[in-house]
Amino acid sequence: MEPVSPRLSRNDVLAFQFSSWYPRFEHASIKSSIIRPLGEDFRRYMLADGVRIPDGADGTDEEADQDVDDSDDEEPQERFAFPEVDAKIRQAIEDYGADASWILPPSSPLRCSAPSEVYMLLKSSDFVLHDVEEESVFEGCTSDAEREVPRYELELVLRKWYHVDPSREFRCFVRSKKLLGISQRDQNFYPYMTEQETRKKIVDTIEKFWIREIQRIWPTEDYTFDLILTRDLESGHIVDFNPYAPRTDPLLFTYDELFMLRTDSHPTPVLKTIDSGSHEAATRSSPANVHNMVPFELLSMSSGQTLDDFTRDWQREIERSMKEDI
């Protein structure tokens, strides 16, 4: 019996690396800059314990303060500096504008305006480490015995920020070059998605976009792509591509369900959304991956403090931000 999802080779996985697909889909995606390659020292930095900013990343020539105990029984922590990467990050920030998605409190946006802030976000993410280790990137892949496999290199992708309405984000599943299913990405209930006319428009727009922009260009038969629709639901922008495999979250589907959709030969893609506030998948007020949604100011202020000290200082920071916005 045919497997529910196809086996992946190393070449298959490399097709989903950002630098592999973005040049072909730049016109239909979000404006981005790719810094590549990053080198072995950058890999060591990402794997090093602690949240430590590389020297010079804050825009000064002074060395960062030591944040480790320099006692005789403690080895000094390795220091890192990436001046060439810093320069490219600063250029991207200048090109795109100093915008960021963190907002706490709502009236005071916290802006990414220096390489140090980018490093802080990278070091605070659990997901980034998956892409750092080659073993995890190619886990479960078949061998490419008779094909030359390009070397896997780390790359840093900087994307122009703009407000993203999570109610217009969708993940789309393609198997054997057929668009099978479309899932709402954000796990919350949006009443507008229950309207039949709106649902039909979402499916029609995504299917037409896929046929026009992706179907004849994407190199593999099996893949998923994430799309954010425009406010009028008439078009969209490509956010990312991922393998059609268990490593990619099927969201409101299961891969068994998608397999059945393929064998049942549905005439149009099936749209799955959360149809009520009581839906079992609805997280309501708790965003997905909330443990990674932590502003870098919070992380930097918390080092070495008790809970009471940190709570007091964080409250002062919020009050200061609010006063500056008045």
Side-chain angles (χ1 to χ4, degrees), residues 279-325:
H279 191 286
E280 61 180 2
T283 57
R284 300 174 195 165
S285 60
S286 177
N289 310 314
V290 67
H291 60 288
N292 283 310
M293 299 181 179
V294 181
F296 54 81
E297 284 91 341
L298 187 152
L299 291 166
S300 60
M301 289 176 59
S302 65
S303 178
Q305 291 183 312
T306 66
L307 179 60
D308 289 341
D309 290 339
F310 169 71
T311 302
R312 182 182 63 252
D313 291 348
W314 185 237
Q315 183 61 39
R316 288 174 181 170
E317 181 66 16
I318 292 176
E319 292 173 356
R320 183 190 63 78
S321 298
M322 294 177 70
K323 289 179 181 179
E324 289 179 354
D325 289 335

Side-chain angles (χ1 to χ4, degrees), residues 171-183 202-211 214-215 221 223-225 227 244 253 258 261-262 265-271:
R171 175 160 293 173
C172 311
F173 301 85
V174 178
R175 182 80 194 271
S176 299
K177 298 185 177 181
K178 178 182 178 182
L179 181 59
L180 301 176
I182 301 167
S183 174
I202 290 173
V203 173
D204 288 346
T205 295
I206 291 178
E207 187 170 30
K208 289 176 182 177
F209 182 94
W210 171 67
I211 292 172
I214 299 174
Q215 185 182 31
E221 293 189 353
Y223 56 96
T224 74
F225 63 95
L227 202 67
Y244 185 102
F253 287 100
L258 291 167
L261 291 179
R262 182 187 175 207
S265 300
H266 278 254
T268 60
V270 173
L271 172 64

Side-chain angles (χ1 to χ4, degrees), residues 53-235:
I53 302 303
D55 295 340
D58 58 359
T60 69
D61 294 328
E62 299 178 3
E63 289 190 348
D65 294 335
Q66 291 285 349
D67 57 0
V68 297
D69 185 356
D70 292 327
S71 59
D72 294 338
D73 59 351
E74 186 106 25
E75 292 186 6
Q77 186 171 345
E78 183 177 7
R79 306 185 72 88
F80 297 92
F82 308 107
E84 294 182 0
V85 175
D86 296 346
K88 293 177 181 179
I89 293 175
R90 291 190 182 98
Q91 184 60 55
I93 290 174
E94 181 179 336
D95 291 344
Y96 298 158
D99 292 322
S101 59
W102 304 120
I103 300 180
L104 182 66
S107 60
S108 179
L110 307 181
R111 298 176 183 272
C112 285
S113 57
S116 58
E117 299 171 6
V118 175
Y119 291 120
M120 185 68 77
L121 295 175
L122 286 174
K123 290 290 286 183
S124 302
S125 170
D126 294 336
F127 294 110
V128 170
L129 291 179
H130 176 274
D131 294 334
V132 173
E133 292 281 25
E134 188 167 337
E135 292 79 6
S136 60
V137 171
F138 297 109
E139 183 179 2
C141 289
T142 61
S143 62
D144 297 86
E146 299 180 359
R147 299 173 60 189
E148 182 179 352
V149 181
R151 180 182 177 185
Y152 176 66
E153 295 180 330
L154 288 182
E155 58 190 36
L156 176 61
V157 178
L158 303 174
R159 314 200 75 173
K160 182 176 181 178
W161 181 86
Y162 66 95
H163 175 68
V164 173
D165 182 350
S167 73
R168 292 187 273 112
E169 291 186 279
F170 297 90
R171 175 160 293 173
C172 311
F173 301 85
V174 178
R175 182 80 194 271
S176 299
K177 298 185 177 181
K178 178 182 178 182
L179 181 59
L180 301 176
I182 301 167
S183 174
Q184 171 186 340
R185 283 197 64 192
D186 185 63
Q187 305 285 284
N188 283 283
F189 171 56
Y190 296 102
Y192 90 96
M193 290 190 189
T194 62
E195 302 167 1
Q196 289 304 312
E197 184 176 343
T198 300
R199 293 176 63 83
K200 183 178 184 304
K201 186 173 185 178
I202 290 173
V203 173
D204 288 346
T205 295
I206 291 178
E207 187 170 30
K208 289 176 182 177
F209 182 94
W210 171 67
I211 292 172
R212 182 179 69 249
E213 303 289 353
I214 299 174
Q215 185 182 31
R216 292 186 296 274
I217 301 175
W218 187 259
T220 65
E221 293 189 353
D222 312 292
Y223 56 96
T224 74
F225 63 95
D226 292 340
L227 202 67
I228 178 168
L229 296 183
T230 55
R231 190 169 301 174
D232 58 7
L233 305 180
E234 294 287 350
S235 188

